[in-house]
């Protein structure tokens, strides 16, 4: 399934897919569009701040950051809604793991760690937007099961490409 995120946690293989059914369930739960929910859960941050947040969430040593970047990071971290990320994962897991509970999703998040959990959800969100794995370099999706075609030279004899040869006659149409 294009866009499905497969990962292991707690000795189990999980498949998270934010397809149409999951997106509709999120919209019904929150009373607004899927990508509006995503935008509310994950603040817009610049690359330096995002890197600092990822380092902090993964437990890596913090890079040397300016005071301004630290303030932006703290502000962005206050706006991240972990409950919404958990809900997105819960809805995305339902297709392949019916009956999975919010507590189980929280346990999965704890086992993966916030950085890896966020990575899985981020990949699923990008796939829901039509981006992610299976993308062409210009960010257009590759059609599943369809190899890209190469441009070929015209086929056939030169006379057939350029119309009938001078002095030839066409058979009568009937």
């Amino acid at each position: 399934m294009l866009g499905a995120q497969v990962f292991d946690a707690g000795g189990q293989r999980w498949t998270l897919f934010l397809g149409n059914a999951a997106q509709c369930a999120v919209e019904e739960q929150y009373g607004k569009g899927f990508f509006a929910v995503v935008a509310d859960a994950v603040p817009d941050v610049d690359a330096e701040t995002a890197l600092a947040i990822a380092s902090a969430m993964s437990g890596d040593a913090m890079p040397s950051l300016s005071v301004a970047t630290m303030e932006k990071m703290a502000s962005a971290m206050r706006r991240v809604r972990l409950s919404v990320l958990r809900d997105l994962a819960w809805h995305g897991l339902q297709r392949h793991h019916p009956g999975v509970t919010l507590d189980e999703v929280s346990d999965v998040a704890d086992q993966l760690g916030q950085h890896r959990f966020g990575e899985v959800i981020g990949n699923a969100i990008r796939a829901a937007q039509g981006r992610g794995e299976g993308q062409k370099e210009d960010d257009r999706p590759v059609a599943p099961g369809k190899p890209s075609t190469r441009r070929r030279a015209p086929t056939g004899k030169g006379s057939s490409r350029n119309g009938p040869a001078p002095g030839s006659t066409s058979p009568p149409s009937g």
Side-chain angles (χ1 to χ4, degrees):
M1 185 169 289
L2 187 63
Q5 303 302 307
V6 179
F7 61 95
D8 295 317
Q12 182 175 341
R13 176 141 298 184
W14 298 89
T15 302
L16 187 146
F17 179 61
L18 288 174
N20 187 63
Q23 290 178 36
C24 290
V26 168
E27 290 176 349
E28 289 169 5
Q29 177 180 345
Y30 285 91
K32 56 182 156 184
F34 176 76
F35 292 108
V37 173
V38 170
D40 287 348
V42 184
D44 286 333
V45 295
D46 58 71
E48 183 182 14
T49 304
L51 178 61
I53 291 170
S55 295
M57 290 175 81
S58 66
D60 292 344
M62 288 294 291
S64 176
L65 302 171
S66 68
V67 172
T69 299
M70 291 294 284
E71 288 173 358
K72 286 195 293 185
M73 183 180 107
S75 174
M77 290 292 285
R78 284 191 296 269
R79 293 190 317 252
V80 171
R81 301 289 312 260
L82 296 177
S83 61
V84 176
L85 296 179
R86 182 207 54 201
D87 290 350
L88 290 171
W90 180 66
H91 287 295
L93 289 167
Q94 292 296 316
R95 179 180 188 110
H96 296 280
H97 309 279
V100 66
T101 67
L102 287 172
D103 285 340
E104 289 172 314
V105 175
S106 291
D107 290 344
V108 166
D110 291 340
Q111 291 163 7
L112 288 176
Q114 288 181 339
H115 176 71
R116 177 70 180 123
F117 184 65
E119 206 173 62
V120 169
I121 294 170
N123 289 338
I125 291 168
R126 279 189 291 285
Q129 292 174 313
R131 296 192 326 230
E133 292 182 33
Q135 292 297 114
K136 293 182 180 180
E137 287 181 24
D138 63 359
D139 209 27
R140 291 182 301 141
V142 173
K146 182 176 181 182
S148 42
T149 57
R150 62 185 176 100
R151 185 163 175 83
R152 297 178 184 202
T155 59
K157 294 185 208 175
S159 62
S160 67
R161 278 197 314 265
N162 298 322
S168 67
T169 59
S170 299
S173 60

